[in-house]
Amino acid sequence: MNITFIHPPLDDPTIPYHSTAYLRGNLLKNGFTNVRTRDLNVEFVNYCLEEDVIKSFYQDIEHKINEYGRKRSLTFTEQEDFYSLWAGPGMLEPSAPRQAAAALRSRERFTEYESYVANVKCLRQHFKLLGTLCHPAEISDFKIKSRGRYSIYSLNDLLNAELCHKICYPIDRYFSDRCANDQDLVWSDCIGISIVYDHQLLPALHLTRLIKEQWPEKLVLLGGTSISQCFKYLKDKTLMKRFFSVCDGIVVGEGETATCEIAATRGDLPHGRIPNLITYDRKLDTLHLPQAIHYEKLPSLGAPAYEYPWDLYLSPERGINYSPTRGCYWNRCTFCDYGLNTDKPTSPWRERPIDMVIEDLKNISNQQKVKYVYFAVDVMAPGYLERLSDAIGDSDLEIWWGAELRMEKIFSKDRCKKMANSGCVAVSFGMESGNQRVLDLIDKGTKVAYMGETMKNFAEAGIAVQLMAFSHFPTETEAERKQTVGFVELHKDSWSGGGIGKFVLTGTALVAKNPQKFGVNLIEPQKADIVRVLGYEMTEEGKRQMLSAEEGDDSFDESGGLFPSALGRPWAGGTDTIHSMIYYETYGRNFFKDHSLKKPAQNSSQRDKDEILASPVLLRGRLAQADFDISKIVEGRGQLLDYLKKLNQAAIESTWQDFAKWQQSIPEVIRQEKRSCWIIQDNKCLRIPELVYAVLQQAADAALPVQALLSEFSSSVQERLMEHLVWLYHKGYILFGEAREHHIYAPHAVAC
C-alpha cells in the first residue's frame, strides 16, 4: 500500500513538524517502504508567496471591494467583510513577500535584526491581507482565528462545508491549482493527515474533505494531537462518527503501531482490532472506539525519517523537532491536561536509550545537514538530560539545541556548563508562579527559594532562560499575582525572555476532577460539543473566570509588560522557536532584552515648531475614502464585542448559527451621498478633514518637509493644519522625520 502522511495548513513555516517523520520512520523500520511525507503547510505558504498568485489574490480582493462599492446598503455580515477589506493591511508590491521570505533564508540578512523585523512585518501584513479573503475568519502569524464568529468546538461549525469553503478560500485555490493533480497524492492508496494544533483543525478537516471528494476511493486517515483532543473532550463520544463524513479512520494518541497495522491491512480496516484506531461501520451505523490507549515503547520504534523540502522553510538554517522522551516524569501538576490518559495529568514517562538518540541525531545531521534541534517533549528529566549532554559532548555531533525543563534545584553550575558545552543555547521553564502557596496548590514540586539560583546558573553558563508563567489560578490573590511579577523583576538579570498568560481550565485537569479542593464551581459551556475549556466560579468570592481557548492560547505569547517586547511565535524573540535559537547562538542570551521592539514614544512638545516644519511627514498608516459611514460600522463591531463578552460570561459557546441570528439585530449601513476621508493603521481608523487628507496624500507621494506641504495655504489655515498634524502624531498615525514603513503597493481602499 502506498502511503503519504501530510502536515496540513495553516501552521508555522519556519521548521517542519516531526509527527510525520516519526510515522514514516517506524513504517520503514517494519518493512513498509512505499511511504512519503508532505508538508503541505509550507508548500501552501510558498504558493502564497508567488507573484502570479499574489496578483490573483489581489484581484479577488479588489473584486470584492468593487462589489461592495456598488451596494446601496450593507448587512452586518457584509459590514464585517467590507471593513476587513477596507481597514485591513494595504497591498504590497507583489514581489515584496517573496523577497522578505528570501531574506529570512539568508543567514547574513536574517541576523540583521532591523531588516529581520521589517521582513517579518512584511510577511505578517501579506498573510493578514490574505486573511481578508477568509471572512468570517482572520489570519494572524500563520494561524486561522475565529475571533468568536464561529466555534471549532461545535461540530456543526467544524464540519460545515459551506462555512469551511468561506474560511478556507485560499486553501481551496491552492488545492485546485497544485494538489488535485499532484503525483504523490495520485500515487497514494492511503493519505494520513496529522492535525497537531487546534488552529489547524478546521482547515485540516476541510483539506481532508477536498481530498476525499477528489479521490473517494483512497483510504483517508486523521491523526495528531488536536484530533485526539477532540476525542478526549467530546462530551458524547458517539459523535465521533460525524468526522467520518470526511475520513475513513481516526488514530488517537500515538500512531506508530496503529499505522503499521493499518499498512498491513492493505486498506481494509478491521473494526476494533487496531490499537488507538477509531472506525465507523456505515452499513450498521456502529462506531468502534479503542478499548484502551496504547503507549509506544520508544526503544522499539524506528528512527524518525526527516525528508522535507528544506529550501521552502522560512529559516536560514535547517532545524528539527526531536522527541527523545515522551510523557512527564513528574506528572502531578494539577493544571496539566495532555495526552489521553485518565488517571494522570499527562502520558506516562518513557525514554529512548541515549545511544539510540545519538545515532538518530548523527544520521539526521549528516544526511539532512540539520544544525538546530529542539527537544520537543513534555519536559526533560534532569538525570536523562545530563547523560544526553555527556553523550553529545563525547560524540562528534555539532548541533545547537533547546529544551523545556522543570526549575529543579539539581541544575548546578557544573551541570549547566556541561549543557552549554554540548550545544544548549536556550531552555524554557514552566515557572507558573512566584508564590509558594500557588506552586504547592499546583503541586509543581518546585520552591521559590531556589528558582532564582537555578536561573542564575543557566544564565552564567550563557544559556538563554525563557520563562512561562500564568495568573488567575484558582484562589490566587492579587497580592500573590504581584509576587510573580516581583519575582520576575527581581531576577531580570537571569532570564532572556518569556510570556505570562491567564490560567485556562481544561476539561479533565485535576482541578476539574476535584473542584472543591480548589474552591471552584465548574461551569460547562453550552453549545460546545468538544469541552476543551471550562469556566469556573470562585465559591468564596463569587467571581467568575471565563476564557475562551483562543484567548487563552494567545495570552501565553504576551509579555504582560514584564518581558522584552518581541515578535512572538514563530519569530525571533518567541519562546521555543528556531529563530530565537539562532539569535541566541549568534548574539548571546541577552539579545532581545537589548533590542526590545517597544521604543519610548517621542514627545512632540520637546520638538519646537521650526524642527517640525523642517521634518517630512511620514504616514504610519494609509489613507482611504469610504462611501459608507465607517463610524456606524465600527459601532456595530463594538456591539459584537459586547455580545461575545455576554456569551462568554454566560458560558455559551459562540457558534456560526447564533452569530448569524444575532447579526440580524444590527441595522444596515446605508451608502452616503459624499465620501468621507480616513487614515487607517493596524485595523484602526480615524476620520480626518478633506484638506488634511489632501495634505497627507501629497506627503505620501513625496517626503516633503511640513513647511513645503503647507506653503500654499494662508497662515491661519497653516496653523489649523499644523494642529491636526501634531494631533495625528500624538495618535500615532504619522511621524515627523522617522524611517518610512514598508512600501504600500495599491491603496485599494481609496476606491471604496
Side-chain angles (χ1 to χ4, degrees):
M1 182 162 63
N2 300 328
I3 301 174
T4 298
F5 292 116
I6 289 172
H7 183 67
L10 190 57
D11 191 29
D12 175 4
T14 66
I15 188 173
Y17 196 78
H18 57 309
S19 59
T20 55
Y22 273 83
L23 296 174
R24 179 171 181 264
N26 195 60
L27 281 165
L28 292 175
K29 181 200 173 187
N30 285 278
F32 300 100
T33 57
N34 294 334
V35 188
R36 298 175 183 174
T37 53
R38 290 288 294 276
D39 189 341
L40 292 193
N41 172 61
V42 79
E43 292 181 32
F44 168 71
V45 167
N46 279 267
Y47 167 81
C48 294
L49 298 175
E50 296 176 15
E51 286 189 42
D52 288 346
V53 172
I54 291 172
K55 290 177 182 177
S56 178
F57 280 138
Y58 284 3
Q59 288 173 0
D60 292 337
I61 291 170
E62 289 174 339
H63 175 74
K64 287 185 73 175
I65 289 172
N66 291 334
E67 285 291 305
Y68 284 124
R70 287 190 283 269
K71 286 181 173 289
R72 301 297 302 172
S73 63
L74 301 177
T75 66
F76 182 76
T77 298
E78 290 172 335
Q79 293 169 39
E80 281 256 287
D81 195 15
F82 166 77
Y83 190 85
S84 72
L85 296 160
W86 182 85
M91 296 184 190
L92 297 159
E93 292 282 357
S95 61
R98 194 172 187 85
Q99 290 170 359
L104 294 185
R105 297 186 184 110
S106 162
R107 177 88 188 207
E108 182 179 357
R109 297 174 68 189
F110 177 94
T111 50
E112 294 174 357
Y113 192 54
E114 187 175 345
S115 172
Y116 172 88
V117 171
N119 288 316
V120 168
K121 286 183 177 179
C122 176
L123 290 172
R124 275 179 157 177
Q125 178 175 340
H126 175 58
F127 281 92
K128 187 175 181 180
L129 180 61
L130 294 189
T132 64
L133 293 171
C134 301
H135 182 77
E138 301 172 13
I139 293 178
S140 174
D141 280 334
F142 305 108
K143 296 177 183 177
I144 291 181
K145 300 290 187 71
S146 71
R147 303 301 189 203
R149 294 168 179 86
Y150 62 90
S151 172
I152 62 171
Y153 303 115
S154 161
L155 294 182
N156 286 338
D157 289 358
L158 192 59
L159 297 169
N160 182 330
E162 182 181 356
L163 175 62
C164 290
H165 274 294
K166 291 176 183 287
I167 293 167
C168 300
Y169 174 75
I171 294 174
D172 275 3
R173 286 277 303 274
Y174 164 69
F175 185 87
S176 176
D177 289 352
R178 301 294 161 84
C179 298
N181 296 306
D182 184 279
Q183 291 308 300
D184 272 1
L185 301 182
V186 171
W187 166 86
S188 304
D189 302 306
C190 174
I191 297 175
I193 296 93
S194 178
I195 312 174
V196 182
Y197 301 109
D198 281 5
H199 61 255
Q200 287 178 291
L201 193 55
L202 186 144
L205 289 174
H206 184 60
L207 176 67
T208 308
R209 178 185 294 109
L210 295 175
I211 289 171
K212 200 62 182 170
E213 289 173 352
Q214 182 75 15
W215 300 290
E217 75 284 357
K218 295 186 186 298
L219 182 69
V220 178
L221 304 173
L222 296 176
T225 303
S226 184
I227 203 72
S228 297
Q229 288 186 329
C230 287
F231 170 66
K232 177 177 182 175
Y233 297 124
L234 197 62
K235 288 190 290 187
D236 180 357
K237 297 293 190 285
T238 64
L239 292 177
M240 284 300 295
K241 68 182 182 182
R242 293 191 60 180
F243 288 96
F244 287 84
S245 63
V246 296
C247 72
D248 303 296
I250 300 172
V251 177
V252 293
E254 297 169 5
E256 286 90 347
T257 296
T259 49
C260 279
E261 295 195 21
I262 289 169
T265 68
R266 299 183 180 276
D268 185 15
L269 299 183
H271 296 301
R273 297 209 301 272
I274 294 179
N276 295 0
L277 178 66
I278 300 174
T279 59
Y280 175 57
D281 188 328
R282 290 180 173 84
K283 292 181 180 178
L284 299 177
D285 187 24
T286 303
L287 185 71
H288 296 269
L289 302 175
Q291 296 300 306
I293 296 300
H294 170 77
Y295 295 99
E296 304 291 354
K297 297 177 180 178
L298 302 197
S300 65
L301 297 181
Y306 295 86
E307 289 191 6
Y308 294 104
W310 298 107
D311 293 344
L312 296 185
Y313 293 97
L314 304 184
S315 296
E317 305 286 359
R318 297 183 180 187
I320 60 167
N321 293 299
Y322 176 83
S323 301
T325 65
R326 294 187 187 178
C328 177
Y329 68 94
W330 180 252
N331 216 350
R332 287 166 54 179
C333 294
T334 55
F335 70 87
C336 189
D337 190 9
Y338 195 77
L340 294 178
N341 49 292
T342 57
D343 59 334
K344 293 284 186 179
T346 188
S347 305
W349 171 257
R350 288 148 293 153
E351 301 175 354
R352 188 165 175 86
I354 297 292
D355 59 339
M356 295 182 73
V357 171
I358 297 299
E359 184 180 0
D360 291 348
L361 294 175
K362 279 185 176 180
N363 289 335
I364 295 163
S365 179
N366 293 334
Q367 295 169 12
Q368 305 297 336
K369 311 304 179 188
V370 165
K371 290 186 178 181
Y372 291 83
V373 178
Y374 180 70
F375 292 125
V377 298
D378 288 359
V379 68
M380 192 87 78
Y384 184 88
L385 183 58
E386 183 172 13
R387 287 183 282 123
L388 180 58
S389 298
D390 286 336
I392 293 174
D394 293 340
S395 71
D396 57 358
L397 262 174
E398 295 184 5
I399 59 170
W400 304 103
W401 59 271
E404 186 169 330
L405 313 177
R406 280 167 44 80
M407 208 173 281
E408 303 270 20
K409 188 177 182 180
I410 197 172
F411 289 114
S412 63
K413 290 183 178 182
D414 288 342
R415 284 189 170 93
C416 292
K417 287 178 183 177
K418 186 184 296 186
M419 290 170 60
N421 291 336
S422 71
C424 181
V425 295
V427 294
S428 299
F429 288 116
M431 183 188 92
E432 324 312 359
S433 175
N435 172 266
Q436 192 60 54
R437 187 193 72 84
V438 174
L439 288 176
D440 291 344
L441 194 59
I442 290 172
D443 200 4
K444 190 70 185 178
T446 53
K447 300 293 182 184
V448 174
Y450 61 68
M451 291 196 309
E453 188 68 24
T454 299
M455 290 164 55
K456 184 179 179 182
N457 291 342
F458 278 96
E460 290 182 349
I463 297 172
V465 172
Q466 302 169 116
L467 295 181
M468 296 178 289
F470 55 73
S471 62
H472 294 83
F473 190 74
T475 74
E476 182 187 56
T477 66
E478 184 62 33
E480 289 168 336
R481 273 195 282 281
K482 288 180 179 178
Q483 279 189 275
T484 299
V485 173
F487 178 89
V488 172
E489 291 176 339
L490 179 65
H491 298 285
K492 62 183 178 181
D493 290 340
S494 296
W495 50 256
S496 301
I500 183 163
K502 282 190 175 180
F503 171 68
V504 178
L505 177 55
T506 49
T508 58
L510 293 179
V511 174
K513 291 179 179 178
N514 189 6
Q516 294 79 14
K517 177 182 176 181
F518 299 90
V520 299
N521 291 322
L522 301 182
I523 305 170
E524 188 172 293
Q526 303 172 49
K527 301 192 177 182
D529 300 304
I530 302 163
V531 185
R532 182 188 161 200
V533 174
L534 292 169
Y536 59 88
E537 190 171 59
M538 303 300 298
T539 52
E540 291 186 5
E541 302 173 27
K543 293 181 180 178
R544 278 194 169 197
Q545 176 68 22
M546 308 294 300
L547 199 65
S548 73
E550 188 169 271
E551 289 174 328
D553 292 343
D554 285 352
S555 74
F556 284 88
D557 285 333
E558 296 173 2
S559 69
L562 297 174
F563 300 103
S565 175
L567 293 165
R569 283 178 266 193
W571 310 112
T575 305
D576 300 337
T577 71
I578 183 174
H579 286 196
S580 293
M581 289 173 65
I582 294 171
Y583 264 87
Y584 288 135
E585 181 259 315
T586 304
Y587 295 115
R589 68 179 188 87
N590 285 323
F591 181 84
F592 299 109
K593 290 163 76 171
D594 297 336
H595 297 80
S596 177
L597 294 179
K598 190 175 289 185
K599 297 177 181 178
Q602 291 189 14
N603 185 350
S604 64
S605 65
Q606 296 175 353
R607 308 178 69 173
D608 60 30
K609 184 177 179 180
D610 289 340
E611 185 182 357
I612 293 174
L613 286 171
S615 302
V617 174
L618 302 175
L619 302 186
R620 298 194 67 229
R622 59 190 177 83
L623 301 170
Q625 292 180 317
D627 292 321
F628 296 98
D629 187 344
I630 300 301
S631 61
K632 292 288 186 184
I633 295 176
V634 171
E635 183 182 325
R637 288 167 64 84
Q639 289 177 274
L640 172 60
L641 290 178
D642 291 339
Y643 164 73
L644 294 177
K645 286 177 182 177
K646 288 177 182 176
L647 285 185
N648 183 264
Q649 285 302 307
I652 301 173
E653 193 74 8
S654 177
T655 66
W656 177 241
Q657 183 180 30
D658 287 343
F659 172 75
K661 288 180 182 177
W662 171 84
Q663 67 97 22
Q664 294 173 10
S665 67
I666 305 299
E668 293 188 355
V669 171
I670 311 298
R671 174 191 291 278
Q672 301 175 123
E673 292 185 6
K674 186 179 180 181
R675 282 183 170 178
S676 51
C677 299
W678 302 79
I679 185 168
I680 302 169
Q681 182 195 68
D682 297 333
N683 213 38
K684 300 179 297 182
C685 59
L686 194 66
R687 188 167 184 169
I688 54 178
E690 283 186 57
L691 187 56
V692 175
Y693 180 89
V695 169
L696 291 178
Q697 198 167 41
Q698 188 179 1
D701 294 335
L704 297 174
V706 172
Q707 190 167 17
L709 289 171
L710 305 185
S711 60
E712 63 183 272
F713 302 107
S714 66
S715 58
S716 60
V717 174
Q718 285 187 27
E719 286 296 323
R720 291 201 301 273
L721 286 171
M722 177 70 87
E723 288 176 4
H724 271 289
L725 293 178
V726 172
W727 179 64
L728 289 171
Y729 173 84
H730 280 299
K731 291 287 186 180
Y733 285 91
I734 66 171
L735 295 170
F736 292 124
E738 298 287 342
R740 187 181 291 273
E741 301 284 327
H742 50 265
H743 178 61
I744 301 297
Y745 162 57
H748 61 263
V750 298
C752 295

